[in-house]
Amino acid sequence: MIRATIFPGRYVQGPDALKALGRELKRFGDNAFVIADPFVFEKIIPSIKASLLKEVSAEIIEFNGECSDEEIDRLSAIAKGKTEVLVGIGGGKALDTAKAVAHNLKIPVVIVPTIASTDAPCSALSVVYTPEGEFKRFIFFPKNPDLVLLDSKVIADAPARFLVSGMGDALATWFEARSCEIGNAKNMTGNPGSMTAYSLAKLCYETLLRYGEQAKNACEAHIVTPALEKVIEANTLLSGLGFENGGLAAAHAIHNGLTVLEETHRYFHGEKVAVGTLASLFLTGKDPAVIDEVYDFCETVGLPTTLAEIGLGDATDEQLMKVASASCAEGETIHNELVEITPQTVFSAIKAADAYGKYRKQE
């Protein structure tokens, strides 16, 4: 059996890592094109511009806020023929746009997240939306980013909710990868993953349980500690490698189902993935001790454990059945689970997870 595992070319993380951005870029050439989201353009670029330009020449363009084909084409036209390396700095949509522009221009791409809220920065894919913000399509790239660089001071200065959301996204990694490992399910390469991928997925889960609470406390205090560094790495690198190489299953499919209800749209990706993970525990019949371990973790760091906490406190059974049906759509990753998958079994799992979350809050 052929197994495949893919990685970013280089991963750099630590306090003041942004000050080393110019030196890192010089490995790829002397001319850079930087796409910065509006917050970064106003608040961060002024503080790193001198050190950046000391090493490379750089044109810095403000991102318009949406990863759309129109924005990708606009920035590709501006950067064409001018640059040897493409840089994205900011949140997920700016980073996804940078990946797509670099792919169009066939040049290296450097990804610089300013929050640790998802596991997408290391991945070889982008999510494209319409200019109005509606999901349009995925783009799968032939390689991962050439460099992912995270400044842990910048992460610590962001609201702790972003970090906690990243923990929610990362929480799913081991459970989904384990289902895929047992079933020899395909990962993002179209092949089953390696033992390295599954081991990193397990390490991701263990790191969250051990350091998650301390990391959240550090982020709330806007300080960098060893625990925060470990959780940033778990949210970004371990979870990124785990999902892309280990594979996805029920948690992310249920997340996708939850998005059919508009009430969930104001909640973060990782918050909804956490609810999907809890539901997956009941769907797959996990041991009660494991279920309690995961609920304990979510309650400790502040991840949602009930539907009310993602805007669905008044959701009807009819609405939840729509969620369940969408989760079971043809091609969804939930079919990588090793149990019976029907809208009814998923509906029951969602209801069971919500009921247990409510019960625990009453204790």
Side-chain angles (χ1 to χ4, degrees), residues 135-259:
F135 171 77
K136 186 175 182 181
R137 65 191 175 100
F138 292 104
I139 306 176
F140 293 93
F141 303 115
K143 68 181 182 66
N144 296 69
D146 298 272
L147 166 67
V148 178
L149 182 147
L150 289 94
D151 190 319
S152 45
K153 279 189 177 180
V154 173
I155 305 296
D157 282 339
R161 184 183 172 192
F162 288 114
L163 183 78
V164 172
S165 176
M167 288 192 252
D169 199 16
L171 181 64
T173 305
W174 167 236
F175 294 105
E176 295 189 298
R178 181 57 176 156
S179 292
C180 292
E181 180 182 19
I182 295 170
N184 280 318
K186 295 177 181 179
N187 62 19
M188 296 299 175
T189 73
N191 296 285
S194 64
M195 71 174 185
T196 298
Y198 302 127
S199 297
L200 292 176
K202 187 175 183 181
L203 177 61
C204 179
Y205 180 65
E206 293 169 346
T207 302
L208 294 178
L209 294 190
R210 185 170 300 168
Y211 297 106
E213 183 177 14
Q214 291 181 27
K216 179 192 177 185
N217 292 339
C219 196
E220 288 177 335
H222 303 300
I223 55 173
V224 176
T225 65
L228 179 62
E229 293 279 19
K230 288 178 171 64
V231 169
I232 292 171
E233 184 176 339
N235 285 6
T236 309
L237 182 62
L238 294 179
S239 183
L241 295 174
F243 100 79
E244 195 167 32
N245 296 293
L248 298 173
H252 277 82
I254 294 171
H255 160 277
N256 295 343
L258 288 167
T259 64

Side-chain angles (χ1 to χ4, degrees), residues 2 106 129 141 174 245 258 261 270 359:
I2 295 174
K106 297 179 172 54
Y129 299 84
F141 303 115
W174 167 236
N245 296 293
L258 288 167
L261 301 183
Y359 168 76

Side-chain angles (χ1 to χ4, degrees), residues 171 205 209 213 278 281 288-303 305 356 360 363:
L171 181 64
Y205 180 65
L209 294 190
E213 183 177 14
L278 296 175
L281 302 179
V290 174
I291 292 174
D292 281 332
E293 181 178 72
V294 179
Y295 273 86
D296 285 342
F297 171 77
C298 290
E299 290 164 355
T300 297
V301 300
L303 284 166
T305 59
Y356 194 52
R360 288 176 59 100
E363 288 185 314

